[in-house]
């Protein structure tokens, strides 16, 4: 009884101070959001799960709404390997940024792979006309990337040119001290040498804090 009361007290104190209670954090994906933004994020996560149950897998997946997004991508590769008879240990993911700005622009699901929305670009900006990375706009630290297409592929078929292998992190903290936080790596088209973007610290995030 005293333990339950102590937990209620901790929740009440956190809510009063506009913070996410620790007992809630343990059951949710990593976040740096304020309480109000976290509640809105929670509601959107709930909606995505309910629609997935009732209508089937969404045509465009909001990865930030998944508790362990890397597991979804792993399952995507595994399902494609089973379907095509590929060896799992010799398969990987290939990505490309589409011309679709919003999820509503996508008319149908991919037969192999998925579309992903809600990725945020830090350290650079996206030139939608030329479909490539460019330097950040003045005073803009983070911008939303157009819809990303994620395609499972046999590793030996992957021949990338003029792309920057961009890390995708859960939050702007990137990795924590334990190295946790990296979700996957995306292939982003560039006309600059990769070293330029490494120095700029280019990365993608699942959350704009």
């Amino acid at each position: 009884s005293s333990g339950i009361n102590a937990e209620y007290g901790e929740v009440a104190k956190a809510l009063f101070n506009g913070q996410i209670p620790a007992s809630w954090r343990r059951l949710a994906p990593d976040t740096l959001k304020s309480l109000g933004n976290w509640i809105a994020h929670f509601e959107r996560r709930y909606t995505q799960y309910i629609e997935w149950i009732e209508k089937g897998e969404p045509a465009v997946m909001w990865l930030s709404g998944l508790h362990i997004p890397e597991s979804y991508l792993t399952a995507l590769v595994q399902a494609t390997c089973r379907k095509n008879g590929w060896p799992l240990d010799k398969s990987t993911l290939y990505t490309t940024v589409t011309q679709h700005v919003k999820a509503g622009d996508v008319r149908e699901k991919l037969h192999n792979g998925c579309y992903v929305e809600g990725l945020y670009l830090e350290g650079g900006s996206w030139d939608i006309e030329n479909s490539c990375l460019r330097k950040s706009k003045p005073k803009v630290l983070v911008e939303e990337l157009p819809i990303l297409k994620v395609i499972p592929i046999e590793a030996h078929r992957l021949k990338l040119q003029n792309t920057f292998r961009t890390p995708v992190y859960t939050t702007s903290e990137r990795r924590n001290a334990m190295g946790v936080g990296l979700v996957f790596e995306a292939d982003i088209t560039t006309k600059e040498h990769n070293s330029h973007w490494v120095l700029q610290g280019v990365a993608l995030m699942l959350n704009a804090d």
Side-chain angles (χ1 to χ4, degrees):
S1 175
S2 60
I4 293 174
N5 289 336
E7 185 168 334
Y8 282 151
E10 184 268 331
V11 169
K13 182 179 179 182
L15 295 178
F16 180 79
N17 292 324
Q19 298 170 336
I20 304 169
S23 57
W24 294 11
R25 281 186 179 275
R26 288 194 294 271
L27 301 173
D30 284 343
T31 184
L32 300 177
K33 295 181 184 299
S34 64
L35 178 62
N37 288 338
W38 185 86
I39 292 291
H41 186 268
F42 176 83
E43 290 177 342
R44 188 178 171 193
R45 286 177 57 216
Y46 175 80
T47 299
Q48 176 168 262
Y49 280 128
I50 291 298
E51 290 183 351
W52 193 345
I53 292 167
E54 295 178 348
K55 302 176 183 178
E57 189 174 344
V60 181
M61 182 61 70
W62 180 49
L63 281 184
S64 180
L66 302 181
H67 198 98
I68 310 176
E70 52 267 43
S71 294
Y72 174 78
L73 297 174
T74 299
L76 191 70
V77 174
Q78 289 173 338
T80 305
C81 286
R82 281 197 301 270
K83 179 180 175 183
N84 297 325
W86 298 345
L88 182 59
D89 61 344
K90 294 181 180 177
S91 301
T92 186
L93 289 172
Y94 164 70
T95 69
T96 182
V97 181
T98 71
Q99 293 289 312
H100 303 309
V101 177
K102 298 178 181 177
D105 298 338
V106 176
R107 296 302 175 200
E108 59 182 29
K109 284 172 56 176
L110 286 173
H111 295 299
N112 289 307
C114 70
Y115 291 107
V116 170
E117 68 169 321
L119 296 179
Y120 296 89
L121 179 62
E122 185 176 85
S125 66
W126 183 253
D127 184 339
I128 197 162
E129 289 184 8
N130 296 301
S131 296
C132 67
L133 271 175
R134 67 180 178 192
K135 69 178 183 180
S136 298
K137 298 166 188 169
K139 299 181 181 179
V140 178
L141 300 178
V142 177
E143 68 171 48
E144 190 166 359
L145 195 71
I147 303 297
L148 188 73
K149 184 191 290 186
V150 181
I151 307 289
I153 188 172
E154 288 181 286
H156 74 273
R157 295 181 184 275
L158 190 59
K159 304 287 191 290
L160 294 177
Q161 288 186 319
N162 303 318
T163 57
F164 176 58
R165 195 77 167 159
T166 311
V168 181
Y169 299 104
T170 305
T171 71
S172 62
E173 279 189 332
R174 303 197 176 196
R175 291 175 192 252
N176 64 19
M178 301 296 291
V180 175
L182 179 66
V183 179
F184 70 108
E185 291 180 314
D187 308 298
I188 305 296
T189 304
T190 175
K191 294 180 180 177
E192 304 279 352
H193 192 274
N194 280 354
S195 61
H196 174 79
W197 302 117
V198 171
L199 291 172
Q200 294 298 316
V202 167
L204 290 165
M205 318 292 167
L206 297 187
N207 293 279
D209 303 334

